[in-house]
Amino acid sequence: MANAVGYYNFKKVTDLLKNLANYHMQIQGYGIGDINQLIYLTEERLKIENTEQNYAPYYPLMYTIPQGAKTDGRQTTYDFDILIMDIMNTKNWDNEVDAWSDTLDILKDVIAQLRYSLDSCYCSWDVDFPIQMTPFSESFDDYVAGWSARISLRIPDAIDRCIAPYEDFPPCDNNQDTPN
């Protein structure tokens, strides 16, 4: 089920986001899901699958929260909240500014890779700008600090009735009244 520019369904888009996290040298964990699953559902730790053991995450962590999708018939726009976070020093909070600084740089790296990647998987994607980035601190069960951004990815993905898995419809008789 491919169109002229390639086939991207939701699963492929989220797998490519996971790959993006894996190839970043500072990101040590990745997860996707609802905000309530953040600390408890980390798919990868230290670039290793973590779906069966479900160990606590390593940081910095990239967490992706799907926020919806829409189509105009020619492309699909996927909205994601992407959070980049690092663990806080709970003894005296002395690394908060460092955590904000480092995680903002990582978030901008992720945005740059999505926008300017030369990889063929990402080159037809586009990112809607401007992107609002918001800091957070002392959040979630692990007391993390970092940044979140709502990112809209526009991906060429024309809708196509010809490839939809439908059986043939019966002929329509417009002259016959339909039963009430």
Side-chain angles (χ1 to χ4, degrees), residues 58-125:
Y58 279 101
Y59 294 96
L61 171 71
M62 177 175 158
Y63 197 78
T64 303
I65 304 169
Q67 293 297 331
K70 56 187 170 278
T71 184
D72 64 5
R74 295 180 316 277
Q75 62 188 0
T76 302
T77 301
Y78 296 92
D79 294 324
F80 295 98
D81 284 346
I82 295 183
L83 287 73
I84 306 291
M85 64 200 75
D86 205 349
I87 195 85
M88 296 289 295
N89 179 349
T90 58
K91 302 274 189 218
N92 60 14
W93 309 106
D94 63 351
N95 70 331
E96 184 173 49
V97 173
D98 290 336
W100 279 332
S101 181
D102 293 345
T103 55
L104 180 59
D105 286 343
I106 294 169
L107 181 57
K108 291 191 298 187
D109 293 344
V110 168
I111 293 167
Q113 187 66 19
L114 288 169
R115 177 64 181 100
Y116 300 111
S117 177
L118 299 177
D119 187 289
S120 61
C121 291
Y122 306 93
C123 68
S124 62
W125 296 15

Side-chain angles (χ1 to χ4, degrees), residues 19-47:
N19 286 345
L20 190 146
N22 282 335
Y23 286 109
H24 193 284
M25 290 186 222
Q26 290 174 283
I27 297 174
Q28 298 302 311
Y30 176 81
I32 182 170
D34 185 81
I35 192 70
N36 297 320
Q37 300 167 318
L38 175 62
I39 301 304
Y40 307 104
L41 184 62
T42 304
E43 291 184 14
E44 296 209 349
R45 287 175 75 216
L46 297 176
K47 318 283 186 204

Side-chain angles (χ1 to χ4, degrees), residues 110-163:
V110 168
I111 293 167
Q113 187 66 19
L114 288 169
R115 177 64 181 100
Y116 300 111
S117 177
L118 299 177
D119 187 289
S120 61
C121 291
Y122 306 93
C123 68
S124 62
W125 296 15
D126 203 2
V127 178
D128 288 344
F129 285 95
I131 296 172
Q132 180 71 36
M133 297 175 280
T134 307
F136 58 88
S137 184
E138 302 174 35
S139 299
F140 313 110
D141 289 347
D142 275 359
Y143 291 101
V144 294
W147 291 81
S148 68
R150 171 79 45 98
I151 296 179
S152 296
L153 300 174
R154 285 185 285 122
I155 300 172
D157 184 23
I159 58 174
D160 185 353
R161 187 193 60 80
C162 295
I163 64 171

